[in-house]
Amino acid sequence: MKPRKPKSQGLAYKRLPRRALLLGGLQAAFVGGLAARMRFMQVDQADEYRLLAEENRINIRLIPPDRGRIYDRNGQIIGQNSPSYRIVIVREDAGDVDQVIRKLSELIPLNEDEIERAMTEMRRSAPFLPVTLADQVTWEDISKVAVNAPALPGVTPEVGLTRQYPRYEDFAHIVGYVGPVSDYDLSQIEDPEPVLRIPRFQIGKVGLEARQEISLRGKAGAKRVEVNATGRVMRELDRQEGQPGADLQLSVDADLQQYAQARLAGESAAAVVIDCETGDLRAMASAPSFDPNLFVRGISVADYRTLTQDKYRPLANKTVQGTYPPGSTFKMVTALAALEAGVVGPGNTVYCPGHLKVGSRRFHCWKRGGHGMVDLNTSLKRSCDVYYYDVAIKVGIDRISEMANTLGLGIKHDIPMSAVRAGLAPNQEWKQRVHGEEWLIGDTANASIGQGFMLASPMQLAVMTARIATGRAVSPRLVRSVNGVEQPSGAGEPLTISPTNLRHIREAMWSVSNDRRGTAYRSRIIADDLRMAGKTGTSQVRNITKAERAAGVIRNEDLPWERRDHALFVSFAPYDKPKYAIAVVVEHGGGGSKAAAPVARDIMLQALYNGTPPLDAYPVGDRDRIKEQQKRLEGDRRPKARPDGKDRA
Amino acid sequence: MSYLEYAVKSTPSGFRKFLYMNWPLTLLLISTASAGFLMLYSVAGGSWTPWAEPQMERFGLGLTAMFIIALVPIWFWRNMSVLAYLGSVALLVFVELFGTIGMGAQRWIDLGFMRLQPSEVMKVALVMVLAAYYDWLPSHKTSRPLWVFIPVALIILPTLLVLKQPDLGTSILLLAAGGGLMFLAGVHWAYFAAVIAAVVGLIAAVFNSRGTDWQLLKDYQFRRIDTFLDPSTDPLGAGYHITQSKIALGSGGWNGRGFMQGTQSRLNFLPEKHTDFIFTTLAEEFGFVGGITLLILYALILVFCMVTALATKDRFSSLVTLGIALNFFLFFAVNMSMVMGMAPVVGVPLPMVSYGGSAMLVLMAAFGIVQSAHIHRPR
């Protein structure tokens, strides 16, 4: 073992102890500085705090801002803040919590579930934090608690504002709902504002409430209060008001929305009414719906299970979140793509024998015997499939997909709602990229009639119809104004489609609704200046086997609900000067002309007349039935009582 | 060169090593950690869950780690330095690519049983690699530009990675600890003058970048600096935390409000009261006496590290010990300055006291190296 050559000869090594002591000295000085600062704050300035430390302290409390209200286009209230009384308990002050709760339950009715939740919350949070025992308590119950305060240690009534949705089910999908901030919410926000940490502070969870959270929330104010040793407020010293959230005005017409929602009741369906001139969404009904007020208070497990297990999926917003094969409502797109490309003219005919052989497969027309010679107008009017197989193969999928995008399909429209889907207008590149497979000619045939990969939401179909009706790139607008400031209109620029070709399509759509042989003739509008032009669609959700075809296709009524066809209808009116476009999808409703077109016609008339339409707008044969229906819906639309009878606050 | 060069015969072996540990340091660490348990018990409202109990388990783990590391000869740790550094850089790159987003920054690797924060590991690894470097470098070369450039690069690389996460607090600590170590190693004064000038330049650059495309800090970091410079601009937004922290701390007075009686820090919306702002609660409940006691404990930890550093003749041991002590100092100095309103809120925990697994374990491991240096010092 050789002794290590000492390194201590180098200059740098000699410096080490010296510098170590120097750095140590600096550290000591800093520690001294910290100590001095601590002394200054806790001893010299202690006089300021000593006074407060005895019994009273000054406390800065945040004042939660008033959340912005939501109105419909005519100023009817959709989302408001109403005072709510609640009873809170502080574990530390209560002593024997069980006994206090037992005494309280003798005074006022308490909900088992809520007690359970309060107990869990109490176990988890600090003993000095107030925990809500009962929410939405009536004034009488509050007075009872206040009178008996000495017998109920730790129990205090509190008043606060809570979100309330006076239109119940009607706006659940559009506006969404608020709920108390959760730990998960906090973890999603970078540098959350202190106001979010107020217990039970409500933020938007879903829909418009969530997407417009920042403008609806506003800025918190603050007050300086004197509190006593238990944290109870003794008096307020001064306050600095916050800034309330912005009021939003929707483009939706609450009465029309209510009608649409009522008209769809009983089905799993969606209807969207769009204003052709401004892109305003006049109604966005999705049925069945749910009461958003349930979520504000915190929904019970049983209620939530009922909602999630319903096969009609009440929680899903079918207007933007549901995407369906557009079926024959897509035929306008195929036809426009073909006309624009010049591969067919409006007068050219195709012979329909009831089927067409594409590649090695035989593609059937919905009509077994075929339509014979069909031109553009007839093909759309009678919804001949073979015509579209033929022209789609001529024009090619890429140009059809491009036309779909131009008309607003397969692209995501930016509106402040949750889970807005882009749908799908596939092309060759898409299939290669996603499925890693070649695009087949049969895929084109399927796509031409809106089947196969093609998917669109009801809102997209409404936008498509509005664009065909106006020739402009109408885009949907949900929020009309924020704090009175008008938002940009969705009127859009003129499309690059030739007006002549659009006119041919519109004429064909007119025939669908007004020609005796049109598929939607039964659901026409009689009033001459309000004539409607539309297109029916029936989209398959199952494959029809060769054997079944040979034996005769099973009728929809004979199938279980989930295997029936979706019924679709799109239309615009009045024909001469389009004001509204509508799209209706009835899930598994059967044929579009039977299940969707009458609904669309009724909602359209309601929109056009801005209220209940006169009976002479309907075809003569229908009037008795319509009269019955109007009476029934009128009854449904009376202001609803709270379903659970809890309307106490 | 190998450890055979040391006079090995004079270092203790086997379980006798325990007797030669820096016991005052061990006891000081246990006391500060116990203060932490007490405070975590208090902020949970008099409950061992959810913070105090896991913290105790982690401290037990940390203490075990410290003992194990202490028993391994210091020259082994010197030889591991480069590996530790490279490993830490790799981890930092890994979090950059795959890390879990927590509180808006990409900092953690989720190991399942705990979350590893590679920037914590880096603090120690950087000190180790710099100490090993200066141990290896012939002393007459210490101040030559090329040999100064290498350690600067070693410091800058992890600093930039951490800054990118973004974690401004830790990146400043890394810079300061690295710079401090170079200073200790005997680099010429002139370089430090240059570095200080560069830092001033960087600060200017950061402020000038505000609002441009290449903005170097996140908006919230700028807001925090703004409110630090003038808390009255935003007493309810970003300045709220500092204001609340000062009120709570000041209300402690001389003796404090008593254990578990600190209402100020509880009734208010004091954020992170179990982590970064835990000192506020301690100072409120135990007052000036409690605060100064903790400060003295911290200072003593530094003193006993200094003892180890000056007692050893081995250059690596001295440097690594002083470097770890410096890191420790920076931790509590920055944290306390922050809660007392002397520094912006940058998110640095109070060492040994704040709730947090990663920081505690890494710190205990680092003190293990200090213990190892103490036990295996050439005599």
Side-chain angles (χ1 to χ4, degrees):
Chain A
M1 251 185 289
K2 280 183 290 179
R4 174 168 152 143
K5 183 184 163 208
K7 278 193 169 178
S8 54
Q9 287 165 346
L11 184 60
Y13 191 79
K14 275 190 204 146
R15 279 179 184 161
L16 178 58
R18 217 165 64 202
R19 289 205 171 174
L21 289 174
L22 188 62
L23 205 60
L26 282 177
Q27 293 179 3
F30 199 95
V31 168
L34 287 174
R37 171 77 177 177
M38 217 185 293
R39 206 191 103 88
F40 173 69
M41 287 178 75
Q42 298 193 294
V43 181
D44 296 348
Q45 286 189 333
D47 285 347
E48 192 180 317
Y49 294 107
R50 181 145 303 168
L51 221 152
L52 310 167
E54 287 305 317
E55 194 183 358
N56 295 314
R57 283 178 304 281
I58 288 176
N59 208 318
I60 295 179
R61 297 260 170 116
L62 289 173
I63 307 171
D66 281 3
R67 197 173 174 82
R69 277 165 287 264
I70 300 173
Y71 298 97
D72 90 328
R73 64 180 303 115
N74 302 315
Q76 299 205 58
I77 193 94
I78 310 270
Q80 64 188 2
N81 307 313
S82 56
S84 84
Y85 302 99
R86 57 172 191 263
I87 291 174
V88 298
I89 184 166
V90 178
R91 190 175 76 195
E92 208 171 49
D93 302 339
D96 186 349
V97 175
D98 289 329
Q99 200 198 336
V100 171
I101 289 178
R102 206 166 41 245
K103 271 193 212 157
L104 187 65
S105 63
E106 285 162 14
L107 272 177
I108 61 168
L110 289 176
N111 182 326
E112 287 291 321
D113 288 348
E114 288 210 51
I115 297 296
E116 196 60 37
R117 198 174 48 222
M119 296 302 275
T120 327
E121 204 179 320
M122 248 185 277
R123 270 193 292 278
R124 271 199 331 211
S125 60
F128 49 84
L129 282 181
V131 170
T132 305
L133 269 183
D135 220 342
Q136 318 259 335
V137 183
T138 59
W139 179 242
E140 294 94 86
D141 287 351
I142 284 288
S143 339
K144 277 189 210 161
V145 172
V147 169
N148 290 286
L152 299 165
V155 174
T156 33
E158 273 192 8
V159 61
L161 286 179
T162 188
R163 199 62 157 173
Q164 210 257 328
Y165 302 104
R167 313 291 300 212
Y168 300 98
E169 283 82 359
D170 292 343
F171 281 84
H173 291 118
I174 300 174
V175 171
Y177 48 82
V178 299
V181 185
S182 67
D183 290 346
Y184 176 77
D185 295 332
L186 281 179
S187 72
Q188 295 302 103
I189 306 169
E190 182 177 291
D191 199 31
E193 285 180 50
V195 66
L196 294 181
R197 297 184 192 272
I198 295 177
R200 298 228 158 192
F201 185 76
Q202 294 177 332
I203 61 165
K205 298 280 186 175
V206 175
L208 187 79
E209 292 272 25
R211 292 286 306 275
Q212 298 284 325
E213 171 62 24
I214 299 300
S215 52
L216 283 168
R217 187 193 300 159
K219 289 257 173 282
K223 55 185 174 187
R224 292 204 310 145
V225 291
E226 243 178 64
V227 292
N228 71 8
T230 55
R232 203 150 293 174
V233 177
M234 305 305 282
R235 71 192 166 105
E236 189 174 307
L237 298 174
D238 59 3
R239 64 155 61 204
Q240 178 190 337
E241 291 300 338
Q243 192 190 334
D247 290 344
L248 300 187
Q249 185 172 35
L250 302 184
S251 60
V252 180
D253 177 337
D255 292 334
L256 183 65
Q257 172 75 12
Q258 188 173 35
Y259 177 82
Q261 206 66 53
R263 183 66 183 82
L264 293 180
E267 300 281 0
S268 176
V272 175
V273 181
I274 190 169
D275 188 318
C276 294
E277 287 158 9
T278 59
D280 278 0
L281 294 160
R282 292 296 187 111
M284 294 194 88
S286 174
S289 188
F290 59 93
D291 180 3
N293 295 300
L294 289 179
F295 283 86
V296 176
R297 270 176 287 158
I299 190 164
S300 71
V301 177
D303 284 350
Y304 190 68
R305 195 177 300 134
T306 316
L307 288 176
T308 50
Q309 287 178 350
D310 190 330
K311 69 175 176 177
Y312 284 10
R313 306 190 322 286
L315 292 177
N317 178 6
K318 293 167 188 130
T319 57
V320 293
Q321 197 180 347
T323 54
Y324 308 89
S328 301
T329 59
F330 188 74
K331 285 177 178 165
M332 279 89 79
V333 180
T334 310
L336 268 176
L339 289 174
E340 283 290 294
V343 297
V344 288
N348 295 22
T349 53
V350 169
Y351 179 71
C352 167
H355 57 83
L356 182 71
K357 197 151 173 142
V358 179
S360 59
R361 249 187 80 193
R362 183 180 264 212
F363 281 77
H364 290 270
C365 187
W366 65 270
K367 192 168 179 194
R368 212 166 174 210
H371 291 93
M373 296 300 283
V374 283
D375 63 0
L376 173 69
N377 196 290
T378 317
S379 74
L380 207 61
K381 175 170 74 191
R382 303 180 60 193
S383 206
C384 169
D385 293 338
V386 168
Y387 179 88
Y388 290 93
Y389 300 147
D390 186 79
V391 301
I393 288 161
K394 284 180 188 146
V395 68
I397 186 62
D398 287 355
R399 275 187 283 198
I400 294 176
S401 167
E402 207 178 299
M403 178 57 69
N405 291 158
T406 308
L407 293 174
L409 304 180
I411 53 170
K412 193 167 164 178
H413 296 289
D414 182 33
I415 60 165
M417 288 173 83
S418 291
V420 178
R421 301 264 292 270
L424 184 59
N427 56 15
Q428 298 191 31
E429 183 269 332
W430 171 85
K431 193 177 177 195
Q432 193 56 259
R433 178 163 46 83
V434 176
H435 290 273
E437 284 169 19
E438 198 76 5
W439 182 270
L440 302 174
I441 194 92
D443 294 331
T444 305
N446 267 329
S448 72
I449 58 160
Q451 295 278 163
F453 299 114
M454 204 66 74
L455 287 172
S457 69
M459 185 185 76
Q460 285 178 316
L461 292 174
V463 168
M464 171 191 85
T465 313
R467 288 187 179 185
I468 291 172
T470 59
R472 305 178 71 91
V474 179
S475 58
R477 175 171 81 162
L478 181 63
V479 177
R480 203 165 168 224
S481 66
V482 176
N483 256 353
V485 180
E486 174 98 14
Q487 300 298 295
S489 141
E493 297 298 310
L495 294 168
T496 52
I497 304 171
S498 117
T500 321
N501 288 339
L502 277 170
R503 210 186 58 233
H504 289 308
I505 298 294
R506 287 198 286 260
E507 278 167 6
M509 288 173 75
W510 186 88
S511 307
V512 170
S513 283
N514 298 294
D515 187 302
R516 197 165 285 280
R517 305 189 68 180
T519 51
Y521 179 69
R522 285 159 53 94
S523 300
R524 66 197 179 280
I525 292 174
I526 294 289
D528 251 335
D529 51 342
L530 300 177
R531 291 276 176 175
M532 186 164 77
K535 179 72 195 83
T536 55
T538 304
S539 71
Q540 279 174 27
V541 293
R542 66 199 184 100
N543 283 319
I544 297 173
T545 59
K546 257 191 187 152
E548 183 185 338
R549 188 149 331 249
V553 178
I554 304 171
R555 296 189 322 156
N556 263 309
E557 296 77 42
D558 302 333
L559 283 166
W561 181 77
E562 348 35 89
R563 303 193 64 212
R564 288 182 203 163
D565 300 337
H566 292 319
L568 295 94
F569 189 70
V570 300
S571 69
F572 64 88
Y575 175 72
D576 304 315
K577 193 178 176 303
K579 174 67 182 156
Y580 299 116
I582 185 170
V584 170
V585 176
V586 180
E587 284 188 356
H588 309 294
S593 57
K594 248 178 162 172
V599 179
R601 189 258 321 264
D602 292 350
I603 298 174
M604 182 62 96
L605 275 172
Q606 196 80 17
L608 289 170
Y609 281 99
N610 198 14
T612 310
L615 281 176
D616 52 11
Y618 288 93
V620 183
D622 286 355
R623 288 182 187 165
D624 291 341
R625 197 178 47 77
I626 294 292
K627 203 171 169 184
E628 282 299 300
Q629 178 182 302
Q630 282 181 351
K631 236 185 186 162
R632 180 165 49 81
L633 291 182
E634 205 53 51
D636 285 358
R637 291 169 60 199
R638 296 253 161 71
K640 293 164 203 167
R642 290 280 279 268
D644 53 2
K646 263 198 186 174
D647 215 343
R648 298 185 298 189
Chain B
M1 79 176 244
S2 79
Y3 57 84
L4 292 179
E5 294 167 21
Y6 290 114
V8 177
K9 218 166 27 176
S10 62
T11 63
S13 61
F15 285 103
R16 275 171 53 77
K17 282 183 178 181
F18 275 112
L19 299 176
Y20 286 83
M21 269 179 65
N22 191 342
W23 277 106
L25 181 61
T26 312
L27 294 177
L28 284 166
L29 290 174
I30 294 174
S31 345
T32 45
S34 307
F37 306 149
L38 221 57
M39 292 329 297
L40 290 173
Y41 177 81
S42 169
V43 290
S47 161
W48 294 109
T49 52
W51 299 312
E53 204 179 282
Q55 181 82 344
M56 289 168 91
E57 283 162 12
R58 290 202 198 103
F59 180 69
L61 201 66
L63 208 58
T64 317
M66 185 184 88
F67 283 128
I68 293 170
I69 291 170
L71 295 183
V72 177
I74 186 68
W75 40 88
F76 173 79
W77 298 118
R78 187 192 63 211
N79 295 344
M80 292 304 288
S81 297
V82 175
L83 208 60
Y85 178 79
L86 293 177
S88 304
V89 170
L91 283 178
L92 281 175
V93 173
F94 182 81
V95 275
E96 182 60 42
L97 300 176
F98 309 106
T100 312
I101 308 278
M103 306 299 282
Q106 212 161 345
R107 293 177 187 171
W108 296 323
I109 295 175
D110 206 329
L111 293 180
F113 65 97
M114 68 171 282
R115 281 165 155 178
L116 184 66
Q117 218 170 321
S119 56
E120 296 291 341
V121 182
M122 190 36 135
K123 283 180 194 158
V124 179
L126 181 65
V127 165
M128 283 171 73
V129 79
L130 290 175
Y133 172 80
Y134 281 112
D135 182 48
W136 163 82
L137 190 70
S139 65
H140 63 278
K141 288 184 182 168
T142 308
S143 292
R144 292 195 189 160
L146 173 68
W147 302 105
V148 169
F149 173 76
I150 292 172
V152 168
L154 289 175
I155 298 168
I156 294 296
L157 173 68
T159 306
L160 289 180
L161 284 170
V162 171
L163 192 61
K164 183 109 203 319
Q165 285 180 348
D167 184 352
L168 181 64
T170 308
S171 55
I172 289 173
L173 290 194
L174 279 174
L175 271 182
L181 210 99
M182 288 177 70
F183 176 78
L184 288 167
V187 176
H188 198 274
W189 284 106
Y191 288 105
F192 293 95
V195 167
I196 289 165
V199 167
V200 171
L202 183 72
I203 290 173
V206 163
F207 275 91
N208 282 327
S209 77
R210 187 167 191 176
T212 61
D213 294 340
W214 49 283
Q215 188 163 311
L216 291 167
L217 298 180
K218 293 266 171 132
D219 281 336
Y220 79 91
Q221 291 171 323
F222 275 118
R223 281 201 303 276
R224 283 180 176 180
I225 293 172
D226 280 351
T227 36
F228 165 63
L229 295 175
D230 185 6
S232 62
T233 51
D234 188 11
L236 303 172
Y240 182 81
H241 297 164
I242 293 175
T243 312
Q244 289 301 316
S245 171
K246 282 162 77 176
I247 291 174
L249 204 133
S251 74
W254 179 262
N255 285 323
R257 303 192 43 80
F259 184 50
M260 307 255 302
Q261 302 299 311
T263 45
Q264 195 68 31
S265 49
R266 297 170 169 194
L267 293 178
N268 288 303
F269 305 99
L270 194 60
E272 319 261 342
K273 58 178 191 280
H274 60 295
T275 58
D276 294 358
F277 283 87
I278 195 162
F279 185 69
T280 313
T281 313
L282 184 137
E284 192 198 356
E285 299 192 349
F286 296 107
F288 178 67
V289 174
I292 209 81
T293 307
L294 186 70
L295 199 58
I296 289 171
L297 289 178
Y298 280 155
L300 285 174
I301 288 177
L302 297 181
V303 168
F304 281 98
C305 284
M306 189 80 95
V307 166
T308 297
L310 295 181
T312 177
K313 289 194 183 68
D314 176 42
R315 195 161 154 74
F316 174 77
S317 299
S318 295
L319 284 173
V320 85
T321 305
L322 290 172
I324 287 165
L326 178 60
N327 250 325
F328 186 79
F329 165 76
L330 289 170
F331 253 126
F332 77 79
V334 171
N335 179 279
M336 287 191 178
S337 309
M338 172 177 93
V339 298
M340 287 195 271
M342 297 160 72
V345 177
V346 283
V348 173
L350 191 63
M352 307 303 294
V353 177
S354 282
Y355 179 76
S358 229
M360 157 91 76
L361 277 180
V362 170
L363 210 53
M364 291 304 287
F367 280 116
I369 293 175
V370 173
Q371 297 282 15
S372 170
H374 192 81
I375 297 169
H376 304 96
R377 65 182 187 272
R379 290 173 170 85

